PDB file of all heavy atoms in Angstrom:
ATOM      1  N   TRP A  15      74.312 144.640  76.307  1.00 66.00           N
ATOM      2  CA  TRP A  15      75.249 143.537  76.226  1.00 66.00           C
ATOM      3  C   TRP A  15      74.724 142.289  76.931  1.00 66.00           C
ATOM      4  O   TRP A  15      75.027 141.164  76.556  1.00 66.00           O
ATOM      5  CB  TRP A  15      76.572 143.944  76.862  1.00 66.00           C
ATOM      6  CG  TRP A  15      77.333 144.897  75.999  1.00 66.00           C
ATOM      7  CD1 TRP A  15      77.570 146.204  76.236  1.00 66.00           C
ATOM      8  CD2 TRP A  15      77.994 144.590  74.771  1.00 66.00           C
ATOM      9  NE1 TRP A  15      78.297 146.774  75.218  1.00 66.00           N
ATOM     10  CE2 TRP A  15      78.579 145.775  74.306  1.00 66.00           C
ATOM     11  CE3 TRP A  15      78.119 143.438  74.001  1.00 66.00           C
ATOM     12  CZ2 TRP A  15      79.286 145.858  73.113  1.00 66.00           C
ATOM     13  CZ3 TRP A  15      78.806 143.503  72.821  1.00 66.00           C
ATOM     14  CH2 TRP A  15      79.396 144.687  72.374  1.00 66.00           C
ATOM     15  N   GLY A  16      73.914 142.480  77.989  1.00 71.00           N
ATOM     16  CA  GLY A  16      73.370 141.336  78.666  1.00 71.00           C
ATOM     17  C   GLY A  16      72.459 140.503  77.811  1.00 71.00           C
ATOM     18  O   GLY A  16      72.507 139.258  77.832  1.00 71.00           O
ATOM     19  N   VAL A  18      72.578 140.327  74.495  1.00 74.00           N
ATOM     20  CA  VAL A  18      73.425 139.649  73.479  1.00 74.00           C
ATOM     21  C   VAL A  18      74.106 138.467  74.088  1.00 74.00           C
ATOM     22  O   VAL A  18      74.144 137.357  73.455  1.00 74.00           O
ATOM     23  CB  VAL A  18      74.485 140.674  72.928  1.00 74.00           C
ATOM     24  CG1 VAL A  18      75.457 139.956  72.006  1.00 74.00           C
ATOM     25  CG2 VAL A  18      73.805 141.816  72.246  1.00 74.00           C
ATOM     26  N   SER A  48      69.935  94.942  66.513  1.00 40.00           N
ATOM     27  CA  SER A  48      69.987  93.565  67.037  1.00 40.00           C
ATOM     28  C   SER A  48      69.385  93.516  68.450  1.00 40.00           C
ATOM     29  O   SER A  48      68.694  92.573  68.795  1.00 40.00           O
ATOM     30  CB  SER A  48      71.404  93.055  67.060  1.00 40.00           C
ATOM     31  OG  SER A  48      72.212  93.891  67.855  1.00 40.00           O
ATOM     32  N   ASP A  98     103.401  72.807  86.222  1.00 62.00           N
ATOM     33  CA  ASP A  98     102.473  73.527  87.090  1.00 62.00           C
ATOM     34  C   ASP A  98     103.089  73.677  88.464  1.00 62.00           C
ATOM     35  O   ASP A  98     103.784  72.796  88.962  1.00 62.00           O
ATOM     36  CB  ASP A  98     101.149  72.778  87.179  1.00 62.00           C
ATOM     37  CG  ASP A  98     100.425  72.767  85.846  1.00 62.00           C
ATOM     38  OD1 ASP A  98     100.624  73.712  85.076  1.00 62.00           O
ATOM     39  OD2 ASP A  98      99.643  71.841  85.605  1.00 62.00           O
ATOM     40  N   ILE A 121     118.320 101.498  93.187  1.00 96.00           N
ATOM     41  CA  ILE A 121     119.418 100.582  93.549  1.00 96.00           C
ATOM     42  C   ILE A 121     120.154 101.034  94.793  1.00 96.00           C
ATOM     43  O   ILE A 121     120.736 100.201  95.516  1.00 96.00           O
ATOM     44  CB  ILE A 121     120.393 100.450  92.344  1.00 96.00           C
ATOM     45  CG1 ILE A 121     121.333  99.229  92.561  1.00 96.00           C
ATOM     46  CG2 ILE A 121     121.167 101.727  92.165  1.00 96.00           C
ATOM     47  CD1 ILE A 121     120.598  97.916  92.542  1.00 96.00           C
ATOM     48  N   MET A 130     113.108  94.234 103.637  1.00 98.00           N
ATOM     49  CA  MET A 130     111.660  94.329 103.601  1.00 98.00           C
ATOM     50  C   MET A 130     111.062  93.184 102.789  1.00 98.00           C
ATOM     51  O   MET A 130     110.072  92.538 103.217  1.00 98.00           O
ATOM     52  CB  MET A 130     111.249  95.677 103.010  1.00 98.00           C
ATOM     53  CG  MET A 130     111.705  96.879 103.840  1.00 98.00           C
ATOM     54  SD  MET A 130     111.448  98.442 102.960  1.00 98.00           S
ATOM     55  CE  MET A 130     109.681  98.579 102.932  1.00 98.00           C
ATOM     56  N   ASP A 151     118.916  95.067  86.485  1.00 96.00           N
ATOM     57  CA  ASP A 151     119.929  94.046  86.528  1.00 96.00           C
ATOM     58  C   ASP A 151     120.683  94.028  87.869  1.00 96.00           C
ATOM     59  O   ASP A 151     121.179  92.971  88.298  1.00 96.00           O
ATOM     60  CB  ASP A 151     120.948  94.239  85.411  1.00 96.00           C
ATOM     61  CG  ASP A 151     120.335  94.004  84.041  1.00 96.00           C
ATOM     62  OD1 ASP A 151     119.327  93.268  83.996  1.00 96.00           O
ATOM     63  OD2 ASP A 151     120.838  94.528  83.039  1.00 96.00           O
ATOM     64  N   TRP A 173     102.837 106.230  93.065  1.00 96.00           N
ATOM     65  CA  TRP A 173     101.437 106.512  92.706  1.00 96.00           C
ATOM     66  C   TRP A 173     101.246 106.395  91.188  1.00 96.00           C
ATOM     67  O   TRP A 173     100.196 105.932  90.718  1.00 96.00           O
ATOM     68  CB  TRP A 173     101.001 107.873  93.214  1.00 96.00           C
ATOM     69  CG  TRP A 173     101.130 107.991  94.706  1.00 96.00           C
ATOM     70  CD1 TRP A 173     102.076 108.695  95.395  1.00 96.00           C
ATOM     71  CD2 TRP A 173     100.339 107.333  95.684  1.00 96.00           C
ATOM     72  NE1 TRP A 173     101.911 108.536  96.754  1.00 96.00           N
ATOM     73  CE2 TRP A 173     100.833 107.708  96.965  1.00 96.00           C
ATOM     74  CE3 TRP A 173      99.243 106.466  95.628  1.00 96.00           C
ATOM     75  CZ2 TRP A 173     100.268 107.251  98.149  1.00 96.00           C
ATOM     76  CZ3 TRP A 173      98.668 106.004  96.820  1.00 96.00           C
ATOM     77  CH2 TRP A 173      99.192 106.384  98.041  1.00 96.00           C
ATOM     78  N   PHE A 192      99.921  96.350 100.293  1.00 98.00           N
ATOM     79  CA  PHE A 192     100.859  97.235 100.977  1.00 98.00           C
ATOM     80  C   PHE A 192     101.513  98.130  99.894  1.00 98.00           C
ATOM     81  O   PHE A 192     102.262  97.605  99.070  1.00 98.00           O
ATOM     82  CB  PHE A 192     101.967  96.438 101.689  1.00 98.00           C
ATOM     83  CG  PHE A 192     101.488  95.594 102.839  1.00 98.00           C
ATOM     84  CD1 PHE A 192     100.783  94.428 102.635  1.00 98.00           C
ATOM     85  CD2 PHE A 192     101.781  95.969 104.145  1.00 98.00           C
ATOM     86  CE1 PHE A 192     100.373  93.622 103.692  1.00 98.00           C
ATOM     87  CE2 PHE A 192     101.387  95.182 105.218  1.00 98.00           C
ATOM     88  CZ  PHE A 192     100.663  94.004 104.987  1.00 98.00           C
ATOM     89  N   MET A 212      94.753  93.778 111.847  1.00 98.00           N
ATOM     90  CA  MET A 212      93.900  94.568 110.943  1.00 98.00           C
ATOM     91  C   MET A 212      92.525  93.933 110.786  1.00 98.00           C
ATOM     92  O   MET A 212      91.479  94.627 110.830  1.00 98.00           O
ATOM     93  CB  MET A 212      94.585  94.707 109.600  1.00 98.00           C
ATOM     94  CG  MET A 212      93.945  95.713 108.667  1.00 98.00           C
ATOM     95  SD  MET A 212      95.026  96.042 107.213  1.00 98.00           S
ATOM     96  CE  MET A 212      93.883  97.013 106.184  1.00 98.00           C
ATOM     97  N   ASP A 231     112.000 111.265 110.244  1.00 81.00           N
ATOM     98  CA  ASP A 231     111.108 112.076 109.397  1.00 81.00           C
ATOM     99  C   ASP A 231     109.661 111.772 109.796  1.00 81.00           C
ATOM    100  O   ASP A 231     108.994 110.919 109.206  1.00 81.00           O
ATOM    101  CB  ASP A 231     111.339 111.717 107.909  1.00 81.00           C
ATOM    102  CG  ASP A 231     110.961 112.842 106.996  1.00 81.00           C
ATOM    103  OD1 ASP A 231     110.634 113.939 107.506  1.00 81.00           O
ATOM    104  OD2 ASP A 231     110.950 112.627 105.765  1.00 81.00           O
ATOM    105  N   MET A 242     101.394 102.023 124.656  1.00 95.00           N
ATOM    106  CA  MET A 242     100.448 101.457 125.598  1.00 95.00           C
ATOM    107  C   MET A 242      99.241 100.805 124.874  1.00 95.00           C
ATOM    108  O   MET A 242      98.347 100.299 125.537  1.00 95.00           O
ATOM    109  CB  MET A 242      99.941 102.537 126.522  1.00 95.00           C
ATOM    110  CG  MET A 242     101.020 103.280 127.285  1.00 95.00           C
ATOM    111  SD  MET A 242     102.023 102.131 128.300  1.00 95.00           S
ATOM    112  CE  MET A 242     100.786 101.626 129.495  1.00 95.00           C
ATOM    113  N   ALA A 308      86.948 104.263 103.144  1.00 96.00           N
ATOM    114  CA  ALA A 308      87.058 103.460 104.381  1.00 96.00           C
ATOM    115  C   ALA A 308      85.987 102.414 104.473  1.00 96.00           C
ATOM    116  O   ALA A 308      85.977 101.646 105.477  1.00 96.00           O
ATOM    117  CB  ALA A 308      87.016 104.360 105.602  1.00 96.00           C
ATOM    118  N   ILE A 329     114.798 108.833 103.931  1.00 85.00           N
ATOM    119  CA  ILE A 329     115.834 108.887 102.892  1.00 85.00           C
ATOM    120  C   ILE A 329     115.228 109.367 101.592  1.00 85.00           C
ATOM    121  O   ILE A 329     114.299 108.731 101.062  1.00 85.00           O
ATOM    122  CB  ILE A 329     116.474 107.502 102.685  1.00 85.00           C
ATOM    123  CG1 ILE A 329     117.139 107.040 103.981  1.00 85.00           C
ATOM    124  CG2 ILE A 329     117.511 107.534 101.540  1.00 85.00           C
ATOM    125  CD1 ILE A 329     117.657 105.624 103.930  1.00 85.00           C
ATOM    126  N   THR A 381      74.900 147.867  82.866  1.00 40.00           N
ATOM    127  CA  THR A 381      74.127 147.670  81.654  1.00 40.00           C
ATOM    128  C   THR A 381      72.644 147.825  81.924  1.00 40.00           C
ATOM    129  O   THR A 381      71.909 148.453  81.179  1.00 40.00           O
ATOM    130  CB  THR A 381      74.407 146.281  81.085  1.00 40.00           C
ATOM    131  OG1 THR A 381      75.801 146.171  80.849  1.00 40.00           O
ATOM    132  CG2 THR A 381      73.654 146.053  79.777  1.00 40.00           C
TER     133      THR A 381
END
Side-chain angles (χ1 to χ4, degrees):
W15 287 108
V18 174
S48 59
D98 293 332
I121 195 65
M130 297 170 70
D151 292 337
W173 301 107
F192 294 74
M212 190 170 172
D231 205 7
M242 304 301 294
I329 299 174
T381 303

